Amino acid sequence: MFEFDAVLHEVNDKGGAYVIFPWNIREVFGKGRVRVHVEFDSIPYKGSIVNMGVKDSEGNVCYIIGVLKSIRRQLGKKDGDTIHVVVKEL
């Protein structure tokens, strides 16, 4: 299980949003896509941790978890807000 606080990043032109998973999933799980059960501030979600081309300020690959618009609405969260995230591999 992984637990952390993450900043919500909205993708303005596409309407999506994500948080960055702060570990390298290739090192931790040995693969490039991981199916997971996630809780965003206790709201459950099933999805994947993936590489969608997001990079940090040093050019390193960031693995992300999408945050549905319905979840963002329930939480009242927008770009730049912090979300508590709990992740378990499926």
Side-chain angles (χ1 to χ4, degrees):
M1 179 175 78
F2 298 85
E3 191 167 350
F4 56 97
D5 290 326
V7 174
L8 179 67
H9 300 275
E10 291 183 348
V11 183
N12 293 331
D13 58 333
K14 301 193 184 213
Y18 64 90
V19 295
I20 295 173
F21 185 75
W23 293 273
N24 183 323
I25 65 171
R26 289 202 179 272
E27 292 174 7
V28 174
F29 300 102
K31 50 191 167 183
R33 180 184 186 105
V34 180
R35 299 281 302 151
V36 290
H37 170 59
V38 183
E39 290 182 7
F40 297 111
D41 287 348
S42 300
I43 295 175
Y45 170 72
K46 285 188 183 172
S48 296
I49 305 171
V50 296
N51 171 1
M52 293 295 288
V54 175
K55 296 193 176 180
D56 66 16
S57 60
E58 297 173 5
N60 299 311
V61 169
C62 294
Y63 295 94
I64 65 168
I65 305 168
V67 183
L68 297 175
K69 191 178 286 185
S70 61
I71 292 174
R72 297 190 320 262
R73 223 174 300 144
Q74 265 185 287
L75 296 173
K77 302 280 183 163
K78 60 185 181 346
D79 190 58
D81 289 343
T82 300
I83 299 176
H84 186 73
V85 184
V86 178
V87 177
K88 297 176 189 167
E89 185 177 13
L90 288 177

